[in-house]
Amino acid sequence: MRHAPPRPLLTLGAALLATGLVCAPVPPALAADSVDGARTAGDAMFPNVGNGGYDALDYDIDLSWTPDATQSGSVVAGSVVATSTMTARAAEPLRSFSLDFEGLVVDTVTVDGVPAAWQRDDDAAAIRHKLIVTPAAPVSGEFRVTVAYHGVPQAHIDADGSYEGWNATSDGATMLGQPVGNMTGFPHNNTPGDKATYSISLDVPSTLADATGAGAAPAAAVSNGELLSRTPSGDGTRTTWQWRQTKQMASELLIISIGRYDVIESSVTLSDGGTIPAWSFVDSTSTAANKATVTSAVDQLGPIIRNLESIYGPYPGRSAGVVVDRVPRGISYALETQDRSFFPTRIGFSTLVHELAHQWYGNNVSPTTWTDIWVAEGMATWSESFYAGKDGFGTGPASRDAQFEAWEAVPAGDGDWSIAPGAQTDSASLYGYQTYDRSAQFWAALRVAIGDDAFFDVVKQWQIRHAGTSTTGADLLALAEELSGRDLQAFYRDWILDADKPAWPDQFALSLSTAATAPLERGEVATYTLRAENTGLVPLASSTASLDLSGILDRASIDRTALPTGVSLTGDDLLWTIPSADPGSTAEVSFDVTVSDDASGGALTTEAAVSLGGTCATCASTLAVQEYPVDAAAPVVTGAAEVGATLTATTPGWTDGTAFAYAWAVDGTAIPDATSSTFVVPSDAAGRTVSVSVTGSLAGYLDETRTSAPFGPIVAAAGPTPSASPSTSTAPAAVRGELGRTGTEAPLAAVLWASGALLTGAVLSVIAVRRRRTARGADAA
């Protein structure tokens, strides 16, 4: 966070080294497939800052600071001797690469322990300060570059005239990086899009006096992460402070502060019951009142962090604390240096909340480029109003109301609206209204637009999903759309990309009701009423409510010609354009539907959807429809009325879509397992009748059962007809005579002939004998 307006420049001594200073101890060997790393990170704000071709993994800074033996002026003059090693990974073989480094004298450069050629490219007006390294052989994969340097570090002057980087103080020095000033202290990839871990070793005098030589007191050397050790030299005149930052950190969040400090060691209990160490530092020469604000702030670290954890998720650091120093006006601003933020002179509670919010927004999740600084600064500024508001952790005005008042107070034509937060390119205006105030209003407006549940889900998921990385405003838009299920393109453009005053979003509560009672009869009319209550701070201007009527129009109809003004129906989708309504007032509309003549059972169902800013008080409706039986008729049996025939049950006259169950019977007695639409007549059904009962079922309708008329009687199956059977006209004469007789002889001859037997002469003789015997018997009688 940067609060200060442009300030007068301070004269800090040493001039920039001349452009093109070159040291090439070893001629480089170039590979044909190697490339030069880009000398920019592609940041629209700082096109000549940051570098490409590699990913920085870790920085190991070993710095020794010594004040001049003789001092003059109000600040301490001093110099450094340092070595910095960057461990990085090249995506492809690099024959050269660059780092950002301003002002100090380079002594040697090695890559993986081998001396490398290097040169400087400095243009202060273009904010370009490059250390260009050409290794003896191209680097690929992981590599280490070590730079030894010395000199009198100096401040970096921002385009807005404010100071950052290395600044002398009345008893030491403080290095603050935002946005690009840390290149005055060590060579690195100076972009928030390339985060790394850090080891910082600071060798400083054990005691320090002010610039006049008075007030000698114990000194401290502060940095980020965890304090690993404080090691005095053999003679006790110097102490080495060893810090280790194991969390990913953007280079602009590094702090080095040397001075007379009271050291406060404490701990912070987190929401999960765990504890982390806290190291805080307050200028020893501060007034008792100012020290009291620091003590109070240290006491509040735990409660504030736990409250912020409830909205942002687990605290992302492994340590905490504050740094409070009396500094020149050039750096008289608070800054969210990672783990322990920096404050000039004293600490205000609201600013403490702001900088602690940055431990999540800005530190844990950083911008990829400086254009997207608005995401973090807007959230930290919003957090101040939320923390103090009755909707958050305080008793003051709700954050929505506080941010709306700030929005309303600036007229549409004011120049504050002339810079779009997400489209800014001029670093001279980086710390302006658009970055803090308008962006805080954006967060409040987003909460109105998507509702509390989705809003706080976005706020927390932003940290969970992107922890330890750098992101963009476009990433935030995508997450908000995903979690809210809303199209936020127009809203985002209005607030973040357009250079004019954005519209404060409508806010309303919608309710859907009907006076109809269930179950509804066929032909009955149901009246639905939509009401929109303006719960916001501006008149409703562009709000809508929509209803999917597909769950109504499958059982009912609507007269499209009778729809009220402001209501339209396209397909099954009804849209109500809500008329303007002042805050606190209500708009409403009603429409009718008529239950269809063939409707039965089920329900008329619908649910409303609302435009941005809308919430549902009651947005779903279900009205049951009276159940009616399916249309039914007696089934008809078709087929042959004989044993072995296949009969079929047909069902004319039933409601379309009805499903049937079948039960066949013979003479009224059910046949087990005869439950399909066809039936094969059994042999024992001969002389009897067959019938079938069907039960029709259809969702929303009552079941109906009907039985067919008796079918039959069933006849026996016809026997087979012999082929080529002989007839009496073709039989031999003797047989024809027998076929014409009556008595016992005739059947025998007939059978023999009918069966096709071959009557031999012997058989005929037998017949003749039998006839004679029979004749004699008759005569005797």
Side-chain angles (χ1 to χ4, degrees), residues 530 559-569 574-580 587-591:
L530 286 165
D559 185 353
R560 296 171 185 262
T561 65
L563 291 174
T565 301
V567 177
S568 61
L569 184 62
L574 182 142
L575 179 68
W576 177 35
T577 300
I578 302 172
S580 179
E588 69 175 53
V589 71
S590 297
F591 62 92

Side-chain angles (χ1 to χ4, degrees), residues 26-425:
V26 178
L30 302 180
D33 60 348
S34 60
V35 299
D36 296 313
R39 296 177 190 173
T40 176
D43 195 317
M45 284 280 191
F46 299 96
N48 298 314
V49 181
N51 307 278
Y54 62 87
D55 173 24
L57 305 175
D58 181 77
Y59 292 97
D60 189 340
I61 303 168
D62 189 344
L63 184 146
S64 176
W65 176 82
T66 303
D68 290 354
T70 302
Q71 299 287 340
S72 63
S74 60
V75 295
V76 171
S79 60
V80 300
V81 176
T83 299
S84 177
T85 297
M86 178 186 75
T87 302
R89 181 179 294 112
E92 57 184 327
L94 297 176
R95 60 179 174 238
S96 72
F97 57 89
S98 55
L99 301 97
D100 300 291
F101 193 40
E102 180 180 358
L104 292 165
V105 178
V106 174
D107 297 318
T108 61
V109 178
T110 62
V111 175
D112 291 332
V114 178
W118 54 269
Q119 66 182 43
R120 306 289 289 270
D121 179 9
D122 288 290
D123 186 341
I127 317 178
R128 184 174 68 245
H129 302 279
K130 297 295 179 182
L131 173 61
I132 303 167
V133 178
T134 304
V139 294
S140 182
E142 190 168 308
F143 67 95
R144 291 160 59 91
V145 54
T146 300
V147 181
Y149 56 98
H150 73 278
V152 178
Q154 57 192 285
H156 175 86
I157 304 170
D158 283 332
D160 66 0
S162 62
Y163 279 57
E164 71 222 39
W166 194 279
N167 282 265
T169 66
S170 62
D171 57 3
T174 294
M175 187 178 80
L176 301 174
Q178 196 178 113
V180 296
N182 274 345
M183 59 187 171
T184 65
F186 74 110
H188 63 284
N189 194 15
N190 195 5
T191 169
D194 191 4
K195 305 174 84 167
T197 55
Y198 287 76
S199 293
I200 306 104
S201 178
L202 303 173
D203 175 16
V204 300
S206 298
T207 60
L208 285 171
D210 63 20
T212 67
V222 186
S223 195
N224 310 80
E226 298 164 79
L227 179 60
L228 302 183
S229 64
R230 284 177 283 187
T231 306
S233 61
D235 61 5
T237 60
R238 299 183 68 86
T239 300
T240 299
W241 296 68
Q242 185 71 43
W243 296 87
R244 177 64 177 156
Q245 174 59 278
T246 58
K247 303 290 284 188
Q248 291 291 307
M249 184 170 75
S251 61
E252 47 100 2
L253 299 172
L254 174 69
I255 181 176
I256 293 176
S257 190
I258 303 164
R260 294 173 294 181
Y261 282 118
D262 294 346
V263 182
I264 305 172
E265 297 189 48
S266 60
S267 64
V268 170
T269 301
L270 304 176
S271 297
D272 63 2
T275 60
I276 57 172
W279 290 278
S280 297
F281 300 82
V282 56
D283 193 312
S284 299
T285 65
S286 291
T287 65
N290 287 341
K291 286 185 177 182
T293 68
V294 178
T295 300
S296 176
V298 171
D299 291 341
Q300 288 296 314
L301 288 175
I304 295 173
I305 286 174
R306 289 191 295 273
N307 283 337
L308 294 180
E309 283 186 305
S310 70
I311 57 173
Y312 299 141
Y315 180 72
R318 292 195 173 100
S319 67
V322 296
V323 182
V324 185
D325 198 6
R326 297 174 62 195
V327 293
R329 291 182 59 193
I331 56 170
S332 188
Y333 50 79
L335 191 65
E336 64 274 15
T337 48
Q338 194 156 315
D339 300 318
R340 52 194 53 80
S341 296
F342 174 82
F343 302 85
T345 307
R346 66 181 65 85
I347 299 179
F349 184 83
S350 184
T351 306
L352 178 62
V353 170
H354 182 111
E355 306 306 346
L356 286 175
H358 271 312
Q359 300 306 313
W360 286 266
Y361 276 79
N363 297 6
N364 187 41
V365 182
S366 304
T368 299
T369 67
W370 284 104
T371 294
D372 286 320
I373 186 178
W374 65 268
V375 175
E377 292 297 354
M379 173 52 71
T381 304
W382 173 84
S383 72
E384 296 179 56
S385 61
F386 179 75
Y387 203 99
K390 59 187 177 183
D391 59 326
F393 308 105
T395 58
S399 59
R400 180 198 69 165
D401 299 348
Q403 294 300 331
F404 173 79
E405 288 178 7
W407 171 87
E408 191 175 40
V410 181
D414 194 284
D416 280 342
W417 304 114
S418 64
I419 301 176
Q424 53 185 323
T425 58

Side-chain angles (χ1 to χ4, degrees), residues 425-438:
T425 58
D426 184 0
S427 64
S429 58
L430 179 60
Y431 296 102
Y433 184 88
Q434 76 285 352
T435 297
Y436 294 93
D437 301 84
R438 176 171 173 165

Side-chain angles (χ1 to χ4, degrees), residues 630-635 651-656 658 660 694-696 704-706:
V630 294
D631 294 335
T651 53
W654 289 71
T655 304
D656 289 344
T658 302
F660 297 101
V694 296
T695 298
E704 285 288 297
T705 300
R706 295 288 188 273

Side-chain angles (χ1 to χ4, degrees), residues 689-738:
T689 61
V690 174
S691 62
V692 64
S693 296
V694 296
T695 298
S697 302
L698 182 61
Y701 289 79
L702 300 175
D703 291 354
E704 285 288 297
T705 300
R706 295 288 188 273
T707 302
S708 70
F711 183 79
I714 303 299
V715 299
T721 302
S723 62
S725 297
S727 67
T728 57
S729 63
T730 61
V735 176
R736 289 200 302 270
E738 290 303 311

Side-chain angles (χ1 to χ4, degrees), residues 467-685:
T469 68
S470 300
T471 55
T472 69
D475 295 327
L476 177 61
L477 170 61
L479 180 66
E481 287 191 321
E482 174 197 338
L483 297 182
S484 69
R486 302 284 196 159
D487 180 353
L488 296 171
Q489 297 291 324
F491 173 84
Y492 184 85
R493 172 162 292 282
D494 189 28
W495 275 94
I496 301 303
L497 302 179
D498 290 344
D500 56 10
K501 184 173 184 177
W504 192 265
D506 291 357
Q507 190 171 8
F508 64 98
L510 186 79
S511 61
L512 171 67
S513 63
T514 177
T517 58
L520 299 173
E521 302 284 345
R522 288 174 174 171
E524 188 172 349
V525 174
T527 299
Y528 290 89
T529 299
L530 286 165
R531 293 184 179 86
E533 179 188 1
N534 187 340
T535 57
L537 301 173
V538 295
L540 298 182
S542 59
S543 297
T544 61
S546 60
L547 287 171
D548 178 0
L549 298 186
S550 59
I552 289 179
L553 297 182
D554 59 351
R555 289 177 171 81
S557 61
I558 188 169
D559 185 353
R560 296 171 185 262
T561 65
L563 291 174
T565 301
V567 177
S568 61
L569 184 62
T570 303
D572 292 341
D573 297 322
L574 182 142
L575 179 68
W576 177 35
T577 300
I578 302 172
S580 179
D582 290 333
S585 63
T586 300
E588 69 175 53
V589 71
S590 297
F591 62 92
D592 296 334
V593 300
T594 303
V595 180
S596 302
D597 291 338
D598 59 354
S600 175
L604 306 185
T605 61
T606 187
E607 185 169 0
V610 292
S611 57
L612 288 182
T615 56
C616 279
T618 306
C619 278
S621 173
T622 300
L623 288 174
V625 174
Q626 175 68 48
E627 286 189 320
Y628 294 85
V630 294
D631 294 335
V636 176
V637 178
T638 62
E642 65 180 19
V643 171
T646 298
L647 307 182
T648 300
T650 61
T651 53
W654 289 71
T655 304
D656 289 344
T658 302
F660 297 101
Y662 301 87
W664 293 87
V666 174
D667 274 357
T669 300
I671 305 301
D673 301 323
T675 57
S676 70
S677 60
T678 59
F679 177 65
V680 177
V681 180
S683 59
D684 60 358

